[in-house]
Amino acid sequence: MKRLYQIGLLILTGLSAQAQTYTINGTLTYESSSRGVKEYAKSIGVLTTLPDVKTVSGAGGEKKTTAEWHATNMEWIKDHCVVEDAPIEKNYMSIFPEIANMALDEQPCVPMSWRLTEENNETVMHCYFRMPADEVTNLWLTSEETCIVDQETGAQYRIRRTVPDTYRKHFTLRAKKGDVIDLKIFFAPLAETTKEVRIYGLPNWEMMGVPITIRHQVSGKYTNVITYDTVPQFHKPLLEKEHMSENKPYDLQNWNTWKVMNDAHLIKPLRDGTMALWRTPEATYVAVGYEQNWTTEYFNFDQRTTIIDQTGQQYKLRKVLGLPLDEMFFMKGNAGDYVAFLLEFDPLPLDVSTITYVEPDGEPFNAWGANWSGSVKPDISIQELRNNQRLFQYYPRMVIK
């Protein structure tokens, strides 16, 4: 692709499936996995580097391990407490079965997992913390910034309390190394119509506006409001010339042998690289929009381009509508056009809520302004991509002289 920037893959996040999933009439449904608890969403979370662990001797000669958690930008808050009886989540591996194969004790990172539920007519945010030592200092959970915001109505659900009581405090946790602590934050119950929320004010769990799709319980099952899309109708580009100017086999290093295309799918102006997504049972379609800066501009689509879901499952690129794969090509148009290309991937399941979009680096080539850098775009909300579908309607070129 053109004008791509390298982004580090830092986040592994998204919603995980519950005990069993079913698709009924194109709507995703979930069978409840725990009685009396509505599970709205969950994620294995971001991967955070473990701090250094030290072994110290107590007054009686016993040994314990200690660690200081990474600094959080809340130094102006001086309140502190020590928590020795925090609730331990013994079913952590059952809640997040995909973690079972991660060999956490051998990893330099730990997942900052979370789970959003409704319990006893309250919304509960479970923030799970796996103890890297017997005592961890300098921890931070929450303060008055913490809230849940309904993305359709704008309703703000402000924090009520925490269990254990660590609200607006730095704190020390004492438990057995390897235990998973369940830090709970309580809010008012979400409205039954809530479809998507963002959560703010949980910096150690990287929850500073993360979009979350809400699942609701209907007739004993949890159901998403997400259904399959129809196949998007895009204008198919046309081949103008098999070679730019030399009738020779394609050669990456000789732009005169590249194909020349025209009549791309035109759209209204938008930010370069904007994406939209459609899901059908047979395929996943991703549209990418670009500014056309020159009358003749080169592009490339690498077959190694991949979608990765929150469990690590990969979805391969099958084709690009009307365009070659693994070849540089020229697209002719007007400088100032905004064009969109439609990529087809393997089908994404309906329970996938976030994706990582990976474009690999390409082989260097000889051309003016040559740039074929890869990119990794992590933690992209499926719902936001679906909301972008309206941006990719065909919009004929308007020329005023």
Side-chain angles (χ1 to χ4, degrees):
M1 304 301 294
K2 72 182 183 97
R3 298 194 303 276
L4 298 176
Y5 302 92
Q6 191 71 29
I7 304 173
L9 181 57
L10 300 176
I11 297 177
L12 180 61
T13 187
L15 307 187
S16 302
Q18 293 181 319
Q20 290 181 313
T21 62
Y22 306 88
T23 301
I24 302 175
N25 295 327
T27 300
L28 185 68
T29 61
Y30 300 79
E31 188 174 84
S32 177
S33 58
S34 56
R35 295 180 180 273
V37 175
K38 293 182 181 180
E39 184 179 84
Y40 288 136
K42 63 180 177 180
S43 170
I44 66 173
V46 298
L47 297 177
T48 298
T49 303
L50 287 172
D52 292 334
V53 176
K54 301 177 181 179
T55 301
V56 298
S57 298
E62 72 279 3
K63 296 198 180 285
K64 69 174 182 179
T65 54
T66 65
E68 181 178 355
W69 199 245
H70 311 290
T72 305
N73 188 24
M74 298 290 175
E75 288 81 2
W76 65 89
I77 296 176
K78 304 303 180 183
D79 290 341
H80 177 269
C81 68
V82 177
V83 178
E84 300 194 24
D85 57 353
I88 297 172
E89 180 52 77
K90 296 182 179 180
N91 296 320
Y92 182 65
M93 292 301 183
S94 298
I95 298 172
F96 302 102
E98 61 269 43
I99 291 180
N101 298 323
M102 292 181 65
L104 293 178
D105 290 332
E106 303 172 8
Q107 299 292 332
C109 299
V110 60
M112 303 296 287
S113 307
W114 55 265
R115 185 174 180 231
L116 188 66
T117 65
E118 183 179 295
E119 305 171 33
N120 300 318
N121 202 33
E122 287 188 295
T123 302
V124 185
M125 184 69 182
H126 298 261
C127 294
Y128 298 108
F129 181 79
R130 189 174 189 272
M131 295 289 289
D134 302 308
E135 180 179 277
V136 182
T137 62
N138 196 40
L139 282 166
W140 175 263
L141 179 63
T142 183
S143 66
E144 62 272 12
E145 284 89 0
T146 305
C147 68
I148 300 174
V149 180
D150 188 316
Q151 292 302 285
E152 185 171 356
T153 66
Q156 298 183 8
Y157 296 80
R158 309 305 304 188
I159 182 173
R160 286 180 168 179
R161 66 187 187 284
T162 66
V163 173
D165 181 13
T166 58
Y167 174 75
R168 215 173 188 274
K169 298 174 184 175
H170 302 278
F171 59 99
T172 295
L173 267 180
R174 291 174 181 167
K176 182 181 177 181
K177 180 181 178 181
D179 281 351
V180 177
I181 308 301
D182 183 5
L183 302 168
K184 302 182 183 74
I185 307 170
F186 292 82
F187 306 85
L190 298 181
E192 293 183 0
T193 56
T194 304
K195 298 177 182 178
E196 183 179 355
V197 300
R198 290 180 184 254
I199 298 184
Y200 298 86
L202 298 174
N204 279 345
W205 278 259
E206 295 291 337
M207 304 292 278
M208 306 296 290
V210 173
I212 298 171
T213 301
I214 297 299
R215 300 190 293 247
H216 288 284
Q217 190 174 24
V218 178
S219 302
K221 294 182 174 66
Y222 293 110
T223 180
N224 250 346
V225 296
I226 298 175
T227 58
Y228 283 118
D229 302 299
T230 57
V231 178
Q233 300 302 306
F234 267 51
H235 192 79
K236 184 178 180 180
L238 301 176
L239 176 65
E240 181 175 299
K241 291 192 293 186
E242 187 65 37
H243 307 285
M244 181 66 168
S245 60
E246 295 184 14
N247 188 17
K248 297 179 180 179
Y250 169 79
D251 181 357
L252 173 64
Q253 304 304 334
N254 182 1
W255 55 266
N256 290 297
T257 65
W258 300 355
K259 289 182 173 65
V260 179
M261 312 297 298
N262 63 22
D263 206 13
H265 183 85
L266 299 176
I267 56 176
K268 288 184 178 180
L270 46 66
R271 186 183 297 275
D272 201 49
T274 298
M275 301 168 62
L277 181 143
W278 293 256
R279 275 188 292 203
T280 75
E282 293 78 26
T284 303
Y285 298 90
V286 174
V288 186
Y290 296 98
E291 301 170 311
Q292 181 136 358
N293 302 111
W294 303 91
T295 302
T296 303
E297 189 161 1
Y298 63 79
F299 292 87
N300 175 280
F301 291 95
D302 193 310
Q303 196 159 19
R304 297 173 297 163
T305 300
T306 306
I307 291 173
I308 305 175
D309 70 19
Q310 60 262 25
T311 69
Q313 178 68 37
Q314 298 187 13
Y315 304 85
K316 296 180 179 180
L317 176 63
R318 295 173 173 176
K319 63 181 181 181
V320 183
L321 180 66
L323 298 173
L325 280 178
D326 295 329
E327 286 188 19
M328 302 298 298
F329 65 90
F330 290 105
M331 178 59 69
K332 294 187 70 174
N334 281 1
D337 281 349
Y338 287 78
V339 299
F341 304 127
L342 188 65
L343 290 70
E344 180 182 318
F345 293 84
D346 292 339
L348 276 170
L350 285 176
D351 62 342
V352 173
S353 61
T354 59
I355 59 170
T356 294
Y357 189 80
V358 181
E359 295 172 308
D361 287 333
E363 181 183 347
F365 59 95
N366 297 319
W368 61 96
N371 180 4
W372 191 5
S373 300
S375 72
V376 176
K377 300 176 182 178
D379 194 30
I380 309 175
S381 165
I382 292 290
Q383 188 57 49
E384 289 190 2
L385 291 178
R386 294 179 77 233
N387 291 342
N388 285 347
Q389 293 175 8
R390 58 183 175 81
L391 303 177
F392 286 84
Q393 296 179 8
Y394 185 76
Y395 186 72
R397 183 184 294 118
M398 183 186 300
V399 178
I400 301 174
K401 297 183 178 180

